[in-house]
């Protein structure tokens, strides 16, 4: 069972973490995080598909390719994106500095950055951050690490879960940052997951890649896919279960737990979108296939007209249907049924007769479920999103440079 | 030369128009327009590609297929979309009522609606509107018609142009409404064009279809494709030029004039987007092909982060580059050059050194040109858009139902 738990990435055996102030953020808030496994860990990762990927994405992809890692360093306040060769050098230097400090090799260090694009890393502050964070590494350090990676998030995102595999207790924990520039495709933001499960790297990557498609890739705050997105899992095997190496019952137990954790985390990121006042769960039913179901869900999730309507608590189902109609997915208006909460608002090609007061009550909730039954196939999917408020415009219309 | 001109759809010979108050809009503003040609006119049209198309779209498509028309009736305040069989019956009845009033046949009447989705047409008011408008038909009635079709537009959109073909003066005029739910694909909003050119219907449709791709399909206010979009041209031949029937010099002259008119009108629609404080011209240079150039331009035009940055006069080129990177188009960050106004802000894979004060001056302008040189091909394209402001959220977050 996945639960909110500040233990986060230090919930699993053999992991320490720290979050410190390195002086990168102008606000003076914590901005540097370190997560370390006592022993070698299998590593899996998914990264942004943006052609304008940040330097740390390139560096970390190489580490994932190598198959194992022992540490994650992450800074907020500076994305190290669009920074050219200097950016690549800085990301590599960050890994090297952390490796030297921890007595490991640079190719065992995942590097992640989030913040403003186009600014180079302040390497003196990064160096200080690494030293301070290494000194602060603690088995209860996850909360500080979670706090150090957030930007415009309004709360830290930290989850844990546990399962029994081969009679052994296996722990999984995660921290994430989200908020703005959130639109899926592969990975969506920064999320670090640690587990003491004993699992083969290939299977770990298989699990993560499959799970991402129905969790982090199914959320959208604003349709913008970041240059820095990554989801990384470290699995150090300290739970002592027999190694998971194939698609057996052990793998299924691990997979389901990781999937549940990723779904919950994705939902938390969507719910805490910049300026969000509503958390929208958009269920697509009976689509022809998954791609179509996702298209309809994402089209609704990204429609500024739908998002502003929900912000205004306006049960404007016409905009929802309109967004479904231009999604590119197969749909037949006359067969489609739309519900807000448990109230049918559209069916048989036209607006349904509904209890206005009951519908107003649904629209006034913070969590709203939208059901779109396409009735032309048998595939379901769920997309999570939020509304578009004055606050989003304020946060992103502020002068940053 | 295209000019702003209230003569609009009555600029060409043999056209009359009217705009009246039929009581459809709660505000009591004009909401019913009628445009009539004295004689049979060749008709061409392009319509929304939204699978949830409004009833008037189906009715008008049939009229365009028939090849000729004599009248256009358009109401604002009610979209007659998602209204089922009742909506189809109402749209057909509207055409029949107008035909009876004008002494023509129903299949010569284009029907258009714009406004709230999911509400059926108040047919008694439509009937009254038809009578009142028919009585008010006038050679100077275009301004009233333009005023009757707008919704959240802040000004009427009316253009004219003229050319010489075969020694004869040929006139073209247009009115349009835009504002919200504006994202191209085929047609984008309501735009009615009249001309006294003598042109074969097939060539008229060919011209319009090609022109739409680089005018109305290249603008975006909010990425939402409406259920009701249409662009319709009536050509009644009263200029007396020899009939344009093939791809000759006469056709080219007409085509270029119509293209210039459509581009200017599309720009006006983008500039008057709901809540817009900025008009953005996004030039994509040296893309591999037109589809890629459009993808990059549209991705930038639709990015909420880019739009809010321009609203805040924040020269945040990182967001522009980020949007280009996730557009799906081929692009190489290191080869790409980004300019705001005439100032290079990004080149050689990193931020350029620029004069901050000069850039602030560019960002403070109402009209801002963004140039993205991809440097990997030889195809250019231009997309027009606007910013995302508090006012957009206000307009669309208001409770409409």
């Amino acid at each position: 069972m996945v639960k909110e738990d500040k233990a986060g990435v230090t919930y699993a055996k053999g992991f320490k973490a720290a979050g410190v102030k390195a002086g990168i953020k102008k606000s003076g808030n914590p901005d540097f995080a370190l997560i370390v496994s006592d022993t070698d860990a299998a590593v899996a990762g998914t990264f942004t598909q943006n052609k304008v990927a940040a330097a740390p994405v390139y560096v970390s992809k190489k580490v994932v390719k190598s198959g194992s890692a022992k540490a994650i360093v992450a800074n907020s306040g500076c994305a190290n994106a669009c920074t050219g060769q200097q950016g690549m050098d800085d990301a590599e230097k960050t890994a090297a500095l952390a490796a030297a400090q921890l007595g490991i090799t640079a190719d065992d260090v995942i590097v992640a950055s989030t913040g403003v694009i186009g600014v180079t890393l302040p390497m003196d502050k990064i160096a200080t951050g690494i030293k301070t964070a290494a000194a602060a590494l603690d088995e209860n350090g996850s909360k500080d690490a979670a706090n150090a990676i957030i930007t415009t998030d309004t709360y830290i995102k930290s989850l844990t879960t546990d399962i029994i595999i081969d009679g052994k207790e296996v722990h999984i924990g995660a921290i994430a940052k989200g908020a703005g520039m959130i639109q899926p495709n592969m990975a969506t933001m920064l999320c670090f997951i640690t587990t003491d499960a004993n699992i083969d790297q290939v299977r770990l990557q298989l699990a993560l890649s499959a799970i991402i498609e129905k969790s982090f890739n199914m959320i959208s705050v604003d349709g913008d896919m970041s240059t820095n997105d990554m989801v990384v899992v470290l699995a150090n095997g300290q739970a002592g279960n027999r190694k998971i190496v194939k698609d057996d019952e052990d793998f299924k137990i691990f997979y389901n737990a990781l999937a549940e954790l990723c779904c919950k985390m994705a939902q938390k990121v969507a719910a805490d979108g910049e300026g969000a006042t509503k958390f929208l769960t958009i269920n697509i039913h009976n689509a022809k296939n998954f791609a179509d179901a996702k298209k309809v869900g994402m089209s609704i999730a990204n429609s500024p007209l739908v998002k502003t309507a929900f912000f205004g608590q306006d049960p404007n189902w016409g905009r929802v249907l309109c967004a479904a109609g231009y999604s590119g997915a197969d749909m037949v208006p006359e067969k489609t049924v739309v519900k807000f909460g448990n109230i049918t608002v559209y069916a048989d090609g036209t607006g349904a007769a509904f209890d206005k007061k009951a519908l107003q009550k649904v629209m006034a909730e913070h969590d709203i479920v939208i059901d779109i039954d396409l009735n032309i196939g048998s595939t379901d999917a769920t997309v999570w999103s939020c509304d578009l408020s004055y606050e989003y415009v304020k946060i992103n219309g502020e002068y940053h440079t």
Side-chain angles (χ1 to χ4, degrees), chain A:
Chain A
M1 189 67 183
V2 175
K3 57 186 179 298
E4 293 199 29
D5 180 356
K6 285 170 185 166
V9 289
T10 50
Y11 186 62
K13 277 184 209 163
F15 288 96
K16 292 192 180 75
V20 299
K21 298 176 184 180
I24 305 163
K25 279 183 183 165
K26 281 178 194 166
S27 63
N29 287 335
D31 48 19
F32 195 87
L34 185 58
I35 303 165
V36 179
S37 171
D38 289 348
T39 51
D40 278 342
V43 61
T46 56
F47 299 87
T48 182
Q49 290 182 338
N50 196 314
K51 290 206 168 65
V52 183
V57 168
Y58 287 101
V59 171
S60 296
K61 271 184 173 176
K62 265 195 262 178
V63 176
V64 168
K65 218 172 170 184
S66 81
S68 72
K70 287 185 82 172
I72 299 170
V73 291
N75 74 277
S76 54
C78 172
N80 192 14
C82 305
T83 44
Q85 188 55 46
Q86 182 69 47
M88 286 301 296
D89 294 347
D90 289 348
E92 277 164 8
K93 181 131 191 243
T94 301
L97 286 171
Q101 186 71 38
L102 299 167
I104 60 176
T105 56
D107 62 2
D108 270 345
V109 182
I110 293 282
V111 183
S113 296
T114 178
V116 182
I117 297 175
V119 179
T120 54
L121 281 180
M123 288 308 294
D124 52 335
K125 289 173 181 168
I126 295 289
T128 310
I130 288 170
K131 276 186 196 163
T132 320
L137 278 173
D138 192 281
E139 282 177 3
N140 298 310
S142 184
K143 189 191 161 190
D144 292 339
N147 196 39
I149 60 170
I150 63 176
T151 53
T152 49
D153 304 64
T154 64
Y155 49 79
I156 69 164
K157 291 158 189 76
S158 183
L159 299 173
T160 65
T161 189
D162 36 353
I163 40 181
I164 305 289
I165 299 179
D166 178 30
K168 301 290 193 304
E169 248 186 53
V170 172
H171 309 84
I172 313 178
I175 59 173
K177 68 89 40 181
M181 215 177 257
I182 300 292
Q183 146 90 3
N185 232 344
M186 188 55 87
T188 319
M189 20 89 271
L190 299 186
C191 179
F192 306 125
I193 307 168
T194 59
T195 177
D196 43 27
N198 188 18
I199 180 168
D200 173 61
Q201 194 273 336
V202 172
R203 293 231 70 81
L204 186 65
Q205 183 68 52
L206 273 175
L208 183 66
S209 296
I211 287 166
I212 287 292
E213 292 301 326
K214 298 205 174 178
S215 56
F216 293 111
N217 283 3
M218 295 300 274
I219 62 171
S220 181
V221 168
D222 52 13
D224 276 293
M225 189 204 304
S226 160
T227 49
N228 289 55
D229 300 335
M230 68 171 79
V231 177
V232 170
V233 194
L234 297 185
N236 68 7
Q238 294 193 23
N241 59 294
R242 64 182 164 248
K243 197 166 190 176
I244 301 170
V245 294
K246 60 177 195 288
D247 189 6
D248 57 8
E249 196 53 37
D250 290 358
F251 179 69
K252 276 186 194 116
I253 294 168
F254 178 77
Y255 182 98
N256 289 339
L258 186 63
E260 193 191 348
L261 183 94
C262 286
C263 268
K264 283 266 166 68
M265 192 60 102
Q267 289 168 34
K268 288 187 87 65
V269 170
D272 194 27
E274 285 177 338
T277 74
K278 301 284 182 190
F279 172 56
L280 307 177
T281 299
I282 305 165
N283 297 314
I284 312 302
H285 306 282
N286 300 311
K288 278 209 172 149
N289 51 54
F290 180 74
D292 268 12
K294 183 174 175 180
K295 273 183 199 164
V296 170
M298 277 295 166
S299 186
I300 293 166
N302 284 326
S303 159
L305 287 171
V306 170
K307 292 169 101 75
T308 48
F310 278 92
F311 171 60
Q313 305 192 1
D314 172 5
N316 196 319
W317 55 263
R319 294 182 183 174
V320 170
L321 206 69
C322 175
Y326 67 68
S327 68
D330 263 337
M331 66 101 61
V332 181
E334 291 71 27
K335 291 190 179 177
T336 304
V337 178
V338 181
K339 283 184 188 184
F340 291 173
N342 56 355
I343 299 171
T344 301
V345 291
Y346 172 89
D348 301 320
T350 185
F354 50 75
D355 179 339
K356 279 200 172 183
K357 278 201 178 162
L359 189 56
Q360 276 167 12
K361 220 175 145 187
V362 168
M363 296 304 290
E365 298 285 333
H366 178 271
D367 292 7
I368 303 177
V369 178
I370 304 166
D371 284 279
I372 318 286
D373 196 334
L374 298 175
N375 279 314
I376 53 170
S378 56
T379 307
D380 295 354
T382 300
V383 165
W384 298 281
S385 188
C386 59
D387 60 339
L388 172 58
S389 70
Y390 294 119
E391 192 64 18
Y392 179 89
V393 178
K394 189 179 176 194
I395 292 169
N396 291 301
E398 272 169 15
Y399 200 105
H400 290 285
T401 58

